[in-house]
Amino acid sequence: MESARVLGQNHITKHFENAIKMGKISHAYIINGEEGTGKMRLAVAFAKALQCVENNPEFYADNNLQFDFGVEDSNRVVTGRACNECKSCKQTDSKNQPDIKYVTYEKSGIGVDEIREQINDDIDIKPYSSRYKIYIVDDSEKMTVQAQNALLKTIEEPPEYAIIILLTTNADIFLPTILSRCVLLNMRPVKEELIKNQLMSQYNVSNYEASVAAVFSGGNPGKAIKLATSEDFKELKQHVTGMLGALERAGMDIISSYVKEAVSFKKQIEEYFSLMRIWFRDVLLYKTIKDIDSLIFQDDYRLIGEMSEKIDYVDLNEILKSIDISQNRIKSNVNFDVTMEVLFLTIKERIKK
């Protein structure tokens, strides 16, 4: 099921493979996880395997349908994985499989009309050429209550061949009756090392950049890829590390310039504060164990080492508290310039000369 393309989600891949091999397919699934974790890839891989000729030898034999790659053996072993060779698999890859349907919407939410027109009014029509008729609903947390109620009627009494897969970033938003009738599969955070290796091997990202992006991603490979390949993020990182490295010797004129620069990163303010935390986490780590390999900002290890000698544990703790306080003030719409200036001055005072 192309599990290598869905990093860290083997538990879901195995669930789908076993369901196909054992013939225990649910009529409704929810795949729940952050954007960028690979929910759509998992859903498509599952749908592809469900429709694959090799997983349905009896169906194709009973319906006098030939195997597409010259093999007409109804005794093939069901693997639960797509063969990638049959006509159905190739159609899925090109998004032309007539019995795999993707629910679309044009407005900000998925309304009752979209559900009725694209699922309810279509589901009674038997599959065109496959064993199943599969509906994939992306961003399904955007369904209105009315849309969920309309879908519920279909989930309660679906045709035998129908499968509905809901992809969402927040399964808690669904009606309890929807949740009770679906198999809920939660995406798991991916280990930083796995994300780092993927960035380096597949996207040619340097070890340093991959480490920073992996930490920032919070276990989300899609987010890590965006960060590692984003010029805006690189610019932000250079500003923060440069500012922190020079803050000890900076006068008020330089601090004021840092505040002005910070204003230009307002849209990335969450990443701004996170970068600061990771920097001082590295300072704390180096102060404790003196291990360069454990640092995130390895390219700046000399500066981090020097700073670790000037800041004691109490001051490091106060700096981290100040970052949290400043972030909360920004969220509460306290004056941005004043908040950042106070933060920079606090950090400067805690760095002992």
Side-chain angles (χ1 to χ4, degrees):
M1 202 174 289
E2 303 175 51
S3 58
R5 295 180 57 195
V6 190
L7 197 66
Q9 308 304 328
N10 288 343
H11 64 295
I12 296 181
T13 299
K14 288 297 182 184
H15 177 94
F16 285 149
E17 289 180 0
N18 290 333
I20 294 172
K21 285 190 288 186
M22 298 173 66
K24 295 184 177 180
I25 311 298
S26 173
H27 285 294
Y29 292 88
I30 295 172
I31 305 180
N32 180 49
E34 292 182 2
E35 180 181 351
T37 51
K39 299 189 297 293
M40 179 60 77
R41 291 199 301 275
L42 276 171
V44 173
F46 181 39
K48 183 179 180 180
L50 280 167
Q51 307 289 43
C52 177
V53 168
E54 288 203 4
N55 291 321
N56 300 284
E58 293 181 1
F59 171 81
Y60 279 84
D62 291 345
N63 289 276
N64 297 316
L65 298 172
Q66 289 188 332
F67 290 96
D68 303 291
F69 43 90
V71 180
E72 299 181 17
D73 179 8
S74 61
N75 295 317
R76 281 180 169 271
V77 175
V78 174
T79 64
R81 297 186 294 272
C83 72
N84 297 315
E85 298 177 26
C86 68
K87 181 179 179 181
S88 176
C89 283
K90 291 177 180 177
Q91 286 178 325
T92 304
D93 289 340
S94 61
K95 290 193 174 181
N96 290 315
Q97 220 288 358
D99 298 314
I100 299 177
K101 298 180 176 291
Y102 302 86
V103 174
T104 60
Y105 63 97
E106 295 181 359
K107 295 178 290 185
S108 58
I110 302 175
V112 66
D113 290 341
E114 282 84 5
I115 296 301
R116 285 175 178 166
E117 292 171 8
Q118 298 182 54
I119 299 181
N120 294 1
D121 295 345
D122 180 79
I123 205 164
D124 287 331
I125 302 172
K126 291 185 177 181
Y128 176 76
S129 62
S130 308
R131 182 174 183 178
Y132 300 102
K133 197 165 190 179
I134 303 169
Y135 299 85
I136 299 175
V137 187
D138 197 11
D139 301 323
S140 58
E141 70 277 359
K142 294 182 179 179
M143 284 193 295
T144 63
V145 173
Q146 292 81 0
Q148 290 188 50
N149 278 317
L151 182 63
L152 179 61
K153 295 178 181 178
T154 298
I155 292 178
E156 286 177 332
E157 297 181 0
E160 184 179 356
Y161 51 76
I163 298 173
I164 297 171
I165 306 174
L166 305 176
L167 312 181
T168 182
T169 57
N170 182 14
D172 293 335
I173 203 169
F174 292 134
L175 297 171
T177 44
I178 293 261
L179 288 171
S180 67
R181 287 166 173 78
C182 296
V183 174
L184 176 61
L185 300 167
N186 290 305
M187 305 291 280
R188 293 176 180 170
V190 181
K191 293 180 180 179
E192 290 176 8
E193 193 64 25
L194 290 177
I195 295 176
K196 178 182 173 181
N197 291 339
Q198 182 191 49
L199 292 174
M200 294 174 66
S201 62
Q202 296 183 24
Y203 296 90
N204 296 319
V205 176
S206 69
N207 180 74
Y208 173 61
E209 299 291 348
S211 295
V212 175
V215 169
F216 259 77
S217 70
N220 185 328
K223 183 178 180 180
I225 292 168
K226 287 182 180 179
L227 292 173
T229 57
S230 168
E231 291 300 322
D232 289 341
F233 182 71
K234 290 179 182 178
E235 184 180 343
L236 171 63
K237 179 165 59 62
Q238 289 171 356
H239 160 75
V240 172
T241 56
M243 178 271 295
L244 291 174
L247 200 55
E248 176 189 357
R249 296 174 296 278
M252 280 305 303
D253 55 335
I254 301 298
I255 290 176
S256 295
S257 70
Y258 289 154
V259 172
K260 290 180 181 178
E261 288 181 41
V263 172
S264 67
F265 294 112
K266 261 189 175 182
K267 291 183 179 180
Q268 300 166 273
I269 196 61
E270 296 296 321
E271 286 86 356
Y272 195 108
F273 287 122
S274 293
L275 278 167
M276 296 180 76
R277 285 193 194 89
I278 293 173
W279 175 274
F280 287 108
R281 169 263 184 199
D282 272 3
V283 173
L284 177 61
L285 198 61
Y286 191 82
K287 186 177 185 67
T288 305
I289 62 176
K290 298 291 191 298
D291 181 13
I292 295 175
D293 292 335
S294 64
L295 302 180
I296 302 303
F297 293 108
Q298 290 185 9
D299 284 11
D300 300 292
Y301 75 91
R302 286 193 177 88
L303 185 55
I304 287 171
E306 292 174 4
M307 193 171 287
S308 71
E309 295 176 358
K310 298 176 181 178
I311 310 178
D312 60 28
Y313 291 108
V314 173
D315 286 324
L316 278 169
N317 186 52
E318 290 302 316
I319 287 173
L320 291 169
K321 282 184 181 179
S322 297
I323 294 171
D324 290 341
I325 291 170
S326 299
Q327 185 171 10
N328 289 330
R329 285 176 176 169
I330 296 297
K331 288 180 180 179
S332 301
N333 294 319
V334 176
N335 184 277
F336 185 89
D337 290 20
V338 172
T339 299
M340 298 307 289
E341 182 175 301
V342 170
L343 175 60
F344 295 157
L345 287 171
T346 300
I347 296 173
K348 175 182 170 62
E349 291 172 1
R350 295 286 176 176
I351 303 175
K352 298 175 182 178
K353 296 183 180 179

